[in-house]
Amino acid sequence: MALAYEQLFIPANGSLFTSPRSFAWHLVSTRNTQFGYFDHALGRPVWKGRKILDFGGNVGTFLASAGNRIDHRDYGCIDLNMDVVEQGRRTCPQAHFVHYNRYNSQYNPNGIRYLPVPDCGVKFDIILAFSVFTHTDRSEMVELVGSLRNMLAPKGVLAFTFDDPHYDRSLSDPARPPGSPVLWNLESRGRQEIAEWARWYILINDDLYVEPGNDFNHQARAGKPLESYCSFFTVAYITSLFPDAEVFPPVSPEWQYCCVFRNNK
């Protein structure tokens, strides 16, 4: 496993970030709930000795929340932003961080469009994607999920999160007011009817796109660098897109649902 990762490894350039003056500091994740979330959603699996891929794992905060329950040598992280990848390599030198230079208007606006997921040369027992497909359109999500499923080892598990706009976030965090801030946002725009019928939609800055067709492709559109790009899918729609998956409710304090595939080969 180490050799395959080393072939993909790009040494750091001597500084903590590739471009310290232009680095977008808000892209560094400080979230520390990922391990607890997936541990609960996946039914407390055995983590030790399993090959784990954290797709879109940022600087690897998943490892910090996992403590000694995961061997860093068994952990791989693929992320779009080179700066956070380099920071992850410095913070967790025994883990394996791979830069995925694919275009994303919000996180990697200078990336390569339609770039395939890197081949790490191994199959993974557990693949996780936390709050990744909350920033893609439907076609890109389906494409990337298919690629990740092909990277699973026999009996492997893929789990990713998604945001259902109808979810009452106070159920995960009692400190929040009851209701869905996503639907409140729509109502403030005079788009209450969307809450009743839309299966999925995208909010890009202040522009709302309701169930756009296949011609609406994030990899093809000319986005604005660092724009806010958020997508929302109902549980019923995710179930229709991935009928062989299981969908689990949010794990407090997070409000995203979890879609889980199990490789039965």
Side-chain angles (χ1 to χ4, degrees):
M1 176 175 178
L3 177 59
Y5 274 114
E6 287 167 2
Q7 290 171 342
L8 290 168
F9 183 84
I10 304 173
N13 64 357
S15 62
L16 181 59
F17 301 115
T18 55
S19 302
R21 292 184 180 179
S22 62
F23 180 70
W25 290 91
H26 71 281
L27 296 183
V28 174
S29 174
T30 58
R31 184 185 244 120
N32 60 5
T33 58
Q34 295 98 314
F35 178 82
Y37 177 98
F38 284 118
D39 188 49
H40 185 280
L42 296 178
R44 314 291 184 195
V46 175
W47 296 91
K48 205 76 170 178
R50 312 292 289 280
K51 304 300 183 186
I52 299 165
L53 175 62
D54 193 358
F55 186 70
N58 204 261
V59 295
T61 51
F62 179 87
L63 285 176
S65 60
N68 62 4
R69 286 165 288 194
I70 291 177
D71 189 331
H72 284 207
R73 293 183 176 86
D74 289 332
Y75 172 86
C77 175
I78 293 177
D79 199 90
L80 298 176
N81 189 278
M82 187 63 191
D83 291 318
V84 299
V85 166
E86 288 200 354
Q87 184 178 357
R89 290 169 178 168
R90 291 177 178 273
T91 305
C92 307
Q94 291 185 320
H96 311 277
F97 287 82
V98 175
H99 181 217
Y100 180 22
N101 194 28
R102 180 176 172 124
Y103 169 78
N104 181 277
S105 61
Q106 185 169 0
Y107 295 108
N108 193 28
N110 297 316
I112 301 171
R113 297 173 189 266
Y114 302 104
L115 187 68
V117 178
D119 180 4
C120 295
V122 295
K123 296 292 187 179
F124 295 94
D125 300 301
I126 302 175
I127 299 178
L128 311 170
F130 190 96
S131 198
V132 171
F133 302 121
T134 53
H135 304 286
T136 68
D137 60 32
R138 176 189 59 190
S139 61
E140 188 170 23
M141 174 178 66
V142 171
E143 173 205 342
L144 292 175
V145 166
S147 297
L148 294 175
R149 293 185 71 177
N150 288 332
M151 299 169 70
L152 284 175
K155 308 301 181 183
V157 177
L158 164 63
F160 72 85
T161 68
F162 67 95
D163 199 348
D164 186 317
H166 297 276
Y167 184 68
D168 181 350
R169 295 185 182 181
S170 69
L171 298 176
S172 293
D173 183 358
R176 290 178 173 271
S180 165
V182 180
L183 299 187
W184 296 338
N185 185 298
L186 293 178
E187 291 171 1
S188 70
R189 297 164 182 268
R191 306 297 299 272
Q192 296 93 329
E193 75 280 2
I194 293 176
E196 300 177 2
W197 64 266
R199 299 172 299 170
W200 76 285
Y201 44 86
I202 298 171
L203 185 62
I204 303 176
N205 291 335
D206 292 325
D207 297 323
L208 183 66
Y209 301 86
V210 182
E211 296 195 9
N214 292 331
D215 56 335
F216 185 92
N217 188 314
H218 180 57
Q219 290 296 300
R221 64 179 286 273
K224 298 178 181 179
L226 302 181
E227 66 185 359
S228 175
Y229 188 110
C230 299
S231 53
F232 305 90
F233 303 89
T234 65
V235 169
Y237 191 51
I238 287 291
T239 301
S240 71
L241 289 175
F242 306 110
D244 58 337
E246 298 176 275
V247 174
F248 296 95
V251 178
S252 180
E254 299 295 345
W255 56 80
Q256 295 183 26
Y257 283 79
C258 189
C259 184
V260 178
F261 299 87
R262 302 184 187 277
N263 188 358
N264 295 319
K265 296 179 181 179

